[in-house]
Every structure is written in structure tokens, then in C-alpha cells.
Amino acid sequence: DGGITQSPKYLFRKEGQNVTLSCEQNLNHDAMYWYRQDPGQGLRLIYYSQIVNDFQKGDIAEGYSVSREKKESFPLTVTSAQKNPTAFYLCATRRQGGNYGYTFGSGTRLTVV
Amino acid sequence: DAKTTQPNSMESNEEEPVHLPCNHSTISGTDYIHWYRQLPSQGPEYVIHGLTSNVNNRMASLAIAEDRKSSTLILHRATLRDAAVYYCIPVRQGGSEKLVFGKGTKLTVNP
């Protein structure tokens, strides 16, 4: 079945360490997005990519970095510069060039201690 | 980005219809209206979207006002599995086509 795989589901890191969250898709979608969700809040956009080797900052990009070397993969690195990294991170994809809905992964819950 | 207004919460009984309203008075002519729902500790799930005409799919119906300043998501027979937070999101075609999430409506379904 086609879909999005986010791994791991739960991640614990010590403060000051960088950590990379994985997002892989086999939907052949061009666009990929990373969102962050804090408890009781809506999702906020971190970064997005509409084509391989290109990506743009979203609304809260500070302290995060991404790469898009392959169409299937859009990893997110949470750096030590991110002041409040503990959150639920969600990856989404969408087919470009038309009127389509978004598909979301099941998320990674990151806890920094 | 167009702003949306949704009730913070709504309650329904199982097997009854549910009408979830959304105001999007600043919507532009090229914005599609998307609806997503999110269960606790899960990623959002696409429900339905439309531009001007009313839309139906296996999950729900979407009724869009003639002036497009509001829309209503209709669940024809609520089940306990429909209990979730529902987000109404205008999406501009072209550009980033990003989703901008508000706080949504938390739907409680009573058995």
C-alpha cells in the first residue's frame, strides 16, 4: 500500500544534541511538508519542498534544517539551536499540479530532556 | 492566508447527523476549502475539499455557501470513530499550497 512512513514513533534526546526525523513516501508525490504540533494546538509549518533539491522555510524554521535529495525522502533535523524542541512532528505529502488533498504520516513524538 | 472561525467544540449523539460550520470571510477566489480531522496522537486525515459546488464522498459532504464565505462539513450519521478535532482550511492554488491550521472544532460523539 502507498503511504508515508515516519520513524521512529517516539524519540528521546538529551538537550544540546541534534536529532534527525525520517519521512519516507512511496506515493510519488512531489510536495512534502514538515509540521510541528504542541499540546492542544494546531499544526505549524516548519519547512516544505515542492521538488527535489529545493525547499523553503515555513513559519517556524528557526532551529531546524531539511534536505531533499530524493523524491521519496524529506528528513528533518532538529538542531540544538531550537529552543523548545519537545513536540509532535508530522510529515505530509501532496501531489502537485492539481486539486488534491494532503496525506499525513503518523508522526514522531520527540522529547528532549 | 485566509482566516477561519470554527466553534471550539461541538457534541453529537451516535447515528445522528452532525453539521460542523466554518467561516472564511477573507477567502480568495482561487482558494479551495479543505477539511481534515485529527484523532488524539495521530496525524491529520483528509476528509473532503471543494471550490464552489457542494461535494460528497464516502466520509462526508461539504456544503459551500454561494458567496463562499462559509462552509459546513456534514457527517450524515456520526459514529464514535468520528470523534476528533476537525479543521477547515482554505488552500490557495499555486505557490506553496501549504495548509495553515487553526485550532479546529473538537467533536464529541455520545453513545
Side-chain angles (χ1 to χ4, degrees):
Chain A
D1 287 335
I4 299 173
T5 301
Q6 286 192 246
S7 60
K9 193 170 177 65
Y10 297 95
L11 191 54
F12 294 87
R13 279 293 182 270
K14 290 186 178 176
E15 199 171 334
Q17 290 181 335
N18 291 355
V19 60
T20 298
L21 311 184
S22 169
C23 178
E24 302 282 329
Q25 57 112 350
N26 60 4
L27 299 166
N28 200 34
H29 288 176
D30 291 302
M32 298 187 74
Y33 304 80
W34 272 106
Y35 287 88
R36 167 189 172 133
Q37 187 172 35
D38 293 287
Q41 305 295 316
L43 283 69
R44 293 182 290 166
L45 181 65
I46 305 172
Y47 266 99
Y48 65 97
S49 167
Q50 293 176 288
I51 195 168
V52 175
N53 294 322
D54 188 46
F55 48 83
Q56 281 76 42
K57 292 181 179 179
D59 302 316
I60 55 164
E62 187 175 347
Y64 299 97
S65 66
V66 293
S67 62
R68 187 84 187 277
E69 297 175 2
K70 300 186 299 182
K71 188 175 187 178
E72 301 80 14
S73 179
F74 190 41
L76 173 74
T77 297
V78 184
T79 75
S80 55
Q82 167 50 233
K83 292 192 171 74
N84 297 297
T86 294
F88 189 40
Y89 290 88
L90 288 150
C91 177
T93 71
R94 184 170 188 255
R95 190 185 300 174
Q96 291 277 82
N99 174 15
Y100 302 104
Y102 294 71
T103 303
F104 281 84
S106 55
T108 292
R109 192 167 297 278
L110 173 65
T111 302
V112 174
V113 295
Chain B
D1 301 322
K3 301 291 183 196
T4 59
T5 303
Q6 296 180 255
N8 289 333
S9 62
M10 290 185 65
E11 207 166 320
S12 172
N13 295 322
E14 208 174 0
E15 298 193 5
E16 290 184 355
V18 181
H19 290 229
L20 296 162
C22 180
N23 286 326
H24 30 76
S25 57
T26 60
I27 196 169
S28 82
T30 57
D31 289 353
Y32 280 80
I33 299 154
H34 285 230
W35 283 81
Y36 293 81
R37 69 182 186 183
Q38 186 178 23
L39 278 66
S41 298
Q42 295 188 25
E45 176 187 25
Y46 167 80
V47 178
I48 200 167
H49 74 289
L51 184 63
T52 55
S53 305
N54 294 344
V55 185
N56 301 296
N57 65 21
R58 63 174 180 80
M59 289 180 72
S61 295
L62 177 60
I64 301 171
E66 198 169 332
D67 63 7
R68 294 193 358 105
K69 293 184 187 297
S70 66
S71 61
T72 302
L73 180 71
I74 302 164
L75 306 178
H76 295 286
R77 288 183 68 206
T79 70
L80 296 178
R81 288 173 295 181
D82 292 322
V85 178
Y86 286 79
Y87 297 97
C88 157
I89 306 174
V91 179
R92 185 149 302 169
Q93 298 304 293
S96 70
E97 300 180 335
K98 63 184 182 181
L99 296 174
V100 178
F101 285 79
K103 294 196 175 172
T105 297
K106 182 175 182 179
L107 175 66
T108 300
V109 180
N110 300 314

